[in-house]
């Protein structure tokens, strides 16, 4: 195995069971090989240069036609397998793999920023339209909002919008909703299974449904749903940035743990709610079971309002039940939840780097699925003959933007130059002759943390262990003894 790796064997081959060969390679062997792919080059200009050799990640038939090599041209499948395997995922922190992911992120960042800019515009227009509806309507006796077209709504200091369907703001929201729908349709069509299994896409689907409901006069209640869903989608897009992925993971993990822990105790909370309804029926907040349950949920947060509760009807029993609620729910359960949140947060922070890398792998392979997908293949269910149109992907131009091999990386290697002019602000640049890039691109900088870790690995590799030093000394002594023995034999032979 070591010999095959040293010969540049591609570790991303996938068999018919969707399993790469790295599953049969010991983790230590794989890690040592990745260490050997990092080399320090001594230049005549006294520059500190590090070479990253990615040939083990380069598909063997990258120059073949895409029609015959649709699967091998993907570069991230082996990364996804490593990220999912509990014994291999820590290898993503190795400088060889993390730098490769950094290069991939560097290439696709413009796509993600453009996507974020598009959604931010849609988000602002959508929320502005909902606010215009809010200030341009008044509730009637039945609680149904009635549009008031008699005055203009001021948004900011300069923008005035009339609240009727033919307004400019309504048209802008509709246009962006159509573009948003087309974008989501192509994402679904390119990777249908992965799109539906990813829960982050579910709020988008609901948002796409409720936005036209809002635009065509459903009322402000739909605006409330749209505001919340649009904010959730905004957070999801922001979390795609590597520096935000760990915090988003903490939010999701803590929220899920809260729900799982609270679920069995909801029966106890419901029991206290019914008990409060029976004991404090004369109070406004506990007049019916629904209101009592709502008030009990609020009391969990510490808003007891005990001065507004009448303990006159059942003075002894009501005080005992209230004290039990404060002790069991407000003190014990809430502190248990807080402790769980702190524990989860510390655990996630301890592996924040790995979480960020796994999130980056999932994002990049999702973009690869979109670029390599066939959005019109589902029409095969209705067409007997497979035409070239069914294999056409209007988003295939993303392939050159996403892939690194063979047009971006030359010979599967890059060299990074360390600029030590400022000791307190080291910067690491990728050599221009190691990558193919347009002249108008800015100089590419490598992540300093990756370079520092690569330097550490190279330094440790060059240092000899105590055992190796002892073996070298013993070998030298053995050579001296052999030389002395040969000299004695020659002396005896002469005599």
């Amino acid at each position: 195995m070591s010999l095959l790796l040293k010969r540049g064997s591609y570790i991303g081959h996938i068999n018919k069971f969707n399993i790469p060969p790295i599953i049969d390679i010991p983790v230590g062997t794989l890690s040592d090989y990745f260490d050997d792919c990092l080399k320090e080059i001594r230049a005549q200009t006294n520059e500190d240069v590090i070479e990253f050799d990615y040939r083990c990640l380069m598909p063997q038939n990258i120059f073949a036609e895409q029609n015959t090599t649709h699967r091998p041209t993907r570069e991230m499948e082996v990364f996804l397998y490593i990220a999912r395997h509990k014994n291999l995922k820590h290898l993503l922190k190795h400088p060889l793999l993390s730098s490769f992911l950094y290069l991939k992120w560097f290439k696709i960042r413009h796509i993600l920023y453009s996507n974020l800019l598009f959604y931010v515009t849609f988000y602002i227009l959508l929320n502005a339209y909902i606010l215009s509806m809010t200030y341009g309507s008044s509730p009637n006796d039945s609680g149904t909002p009635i549009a008031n077209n008699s005055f203009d709504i001021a948004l900011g200091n300069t923008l005035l919008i009339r609240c009727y369907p033919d307004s400019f703001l309504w048209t802008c929201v509709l246009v962006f909703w159509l573009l948003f729908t087309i974008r989501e349709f192509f994402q679904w069509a390119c990777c249908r299974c992965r799109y539906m299994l990813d829960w982050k896409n579910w709020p988008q689907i609901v948002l796409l449904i409720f936005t036209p409901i809002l635009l065509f006069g459903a009322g402000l209640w739909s605006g409330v749903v749209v505001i919340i869903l649009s904010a959730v989608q905004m957070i999801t897009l922001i979390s795609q940035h590597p520096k935000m992925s760990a915090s988003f993971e903490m939010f999701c993990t803590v929220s899920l743990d809260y729900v799982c822990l609270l679920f069995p105790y909801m029966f106890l909370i419901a029991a206290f709610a019914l008990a409060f309804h029976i004991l404090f029926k004369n109070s406004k907040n506990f007049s019916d079971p629904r209101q009592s349950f709502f008030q009990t949920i609020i009391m969990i947060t510490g808003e007891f309002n005990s001065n507004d509760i009448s303990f006159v009807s059942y003075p002894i029993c009501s005080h005992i039940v209230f004290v039990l609620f404060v002790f069991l729910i407000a003190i014990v359960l809430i502190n248990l939840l807080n402790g769980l949140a702190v524990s989860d947060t510390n655990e996630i922070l301890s592996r924040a780097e790995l979480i960020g890398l796994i999130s980056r792998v999932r994002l990049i392979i999702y973009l690869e699925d979109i670029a390599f997908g066939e959005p019109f293949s589902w029409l095969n269910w209705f067409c007997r003959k497979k035409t070239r149109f069914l294999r056409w992907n209007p988003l295939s131009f993303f392939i050159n933007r996403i892939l690194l091999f063979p047009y971006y990386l030359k010979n599967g290697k890059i060299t990074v130059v360390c600029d030590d002019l400022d000791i307190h602000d080291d910067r690491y640049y990728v050599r221009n002759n190691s990558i193919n890039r347009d002249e108008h691109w800015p100089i590419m900088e490598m992540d300093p943390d990756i370079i520092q870790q690569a330097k550490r690995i190279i330094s440790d590799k060059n240092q000899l262990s105590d055992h190796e030093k002892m073996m070298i000394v013993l070998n030298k002594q053995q050579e001296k003894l052999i030389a002395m023995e040969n000299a004695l034999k020659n002396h005896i032979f002469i005599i």
Side-chain angles (χ1 to χ4, degrees), residues 11-242:
I11 65 173
H13 285 294
I14 304 293
N15 59 19
K16 62 180 180 180
F17 301 105
N18 291 327
I19 298 177
I22 58 174
I23 189 62
D24 298 322
I25 303 176
V27 178
T29 302
L30 204 57
S31 179
D32 293 339
Y33 171 71
F34 289 160
D35 292 344
D36 294 335
C37 292
L38 305 176
K39 298 180 182 179
E40 186 176 9
I41 302 176
R42 298 294 181 181
Q44 296 180 355
T45 57
N46 295 326
E47 290 180 330
D48 192 4
V49 180
I50 298 177
E51 181 184 79
F52 292 79
D53 188 353
Y54 300 117
R55 286 179 296 178
C56 63
L57 304 174
M58 180 189 295
Q60 301 297 326
N61 48 358
I62 53 177
F63 293 99
E65 294 292 334
Q66 181 180 348
N67 293 336
T68 59
T69 60
H70 180 273
R71 187 179 182 87
T73 51
R74 298 170 183 253
E75 300 171 350
M76 294 300 299
E77 289 187 344
V78 64
F79 282 85
L80 183 62
Y81 186 85
I82 293 174
R84 290 175 174 176
H85 200 285
K86 63 179 181 179
N87 295 329
L88 297 175
K89 62 173 60 178
H90 70 277
L91 292 176
L92 292 176
K93 296 192 294 183
H94 193 279
L96 185 73
L97 301 185
S98 60
S99 61
F100 188 84
L101 292 175
Y102 184 87
L103 293 176
K104 297 281 285 188
W105 165 259
F106 181 83
K107 290 207 67 179
I108 68 171
R109 71 191 192 283
H110 298 100
I111 301 175
L112 300 178
Y113 291 154
S114 300
N115 183 40
L116 179 60
L117 179 62
F118 165 77
Y119 184 78
V120 167
T121 306
F122 175 65
Y123 176 80
I124 294 174
L125 291 173
L126 186 60
N127 283 267
Y129 175 75
I130 296 173
L131 288 177
S132 69
M133 289 180 58
T134 303
Y135 289 103
S137 61
S138 59
N140 58 5
D141 296 336
S142 62
T144 304
I146 301 176
N148 185 5
N149 298 329
S150 61
F151 60 92
D152 294 333
I153 306 302
L155 294 178
N157 296 325
T158 58
L159 183 61
L160 295 176
I161 300 174
R162 287 189 177 274
C163 294
Y164 52 89
D166 295 332
S167 66
F168 174 75
L169 187 58
W170 185 91
T171 305
C172 290
V173 173
L174 181 62
V175 171
F176 271 86
W177 173 80
L178 290 174
L179 295 175
F180 188 38
T181 304
I182 294 173
R183 189 197 72 173
E184 293 302 313
F185 170 77
F186 274 106
Q187 291 184 19
W188 169 83
C190 290
C191 46
R192 291 182 289 274
C193 294
R194 183 165 292 172
Y195 182 88
M196 297 305 299
L197 292 177
D198 189 358
W199 67 268
K200 296 179 183 178
N201 294 321
W202 299 348
Q204 299 183 43
I205 298 174
V206 181
L207 179 62
L208 289 176
I209 296 173
F210 272 87
T211 300
I213 294 176
L214 170 69
L215 292 176
F216 292 100
L220 291 178
W221 66 270
S222 59
V224 174
V225 177
V226 169
I227 285 177
I228 296 175
L229 291 175
S230 61
V232 171
Q233 178 61 18
M234 176 67 74
I235 295 173
T236 303
L237 289 178
I238 295 176
S239 67
Q240 292 178 350
H241 195 277

Side-chain angles (χ1 to χ4, degrees), residues 102-103 408-409 413-417 428-435 437 443-446:
Y102 184 87
L103 293 176
Y408 188 75
L409 291 181
K413 298 180 181 180
I414 64 168
T415 52
V416 180
V417 181
Y428 309 100
Y429 303 101
V430 178
R431 279 189 184 273
N432 296 342
N433 57 2
S434 63
I435 58 174
R437 63 181 181 86
I443 296 176
M444 178 181 173
E445 296 184 14
M446 181 59 73

Side-chain angles (χ1 to χ4, degrees), residues 48 50 418 420 426 428 450-460:
D48 192 4
I50 298 177
C418 303
D420 295 329
D426 291 343
Y428 309 100
I450 295 176
I451 300 301
Q452 292 295 339
Q453 190 176 1
K455 284 183 175 181
R456 195 178 305 114
I457 291 175
I458 294 174
S459 177
D460 294 340

Side-chain angles (χ1 to χ4, degrees), residues 234-294:
M234 176 67 74
I235 295 173
T236 303
L237 289 178
I238 295 176
S239 67
Q240 292 178 350
H241 195 277
K243 294 183 179 180
M244 299 297 298
S245 56
S247 60
F248 183 74
E249 184 70 20
M250 282 190 292
F251 177 79
C252 296
T253 302
V254 173
S255 300
L256 182 61
D257 289 343
Y258 262 55
V259 172
C260 294
L261 185 61
L262 270 178
F263 177 75
Y265 295 98
M266 289 302 296
F267 298 98
L268 183 60
I269 296 174
F272 275 111
L274 293 177
F276 290 152
H277 169 63
I278 296 172
L279 296 174
F280 311 122
K281 186 183 296 184
N282 296 328
S283 298
K284 180 180 179 180
N285 294 330
F286 304 98
S287 58
D288 58 81
R290 184 180 61 180
Q291 183 66 24
S292 178
F293 185 79
F294 180 74

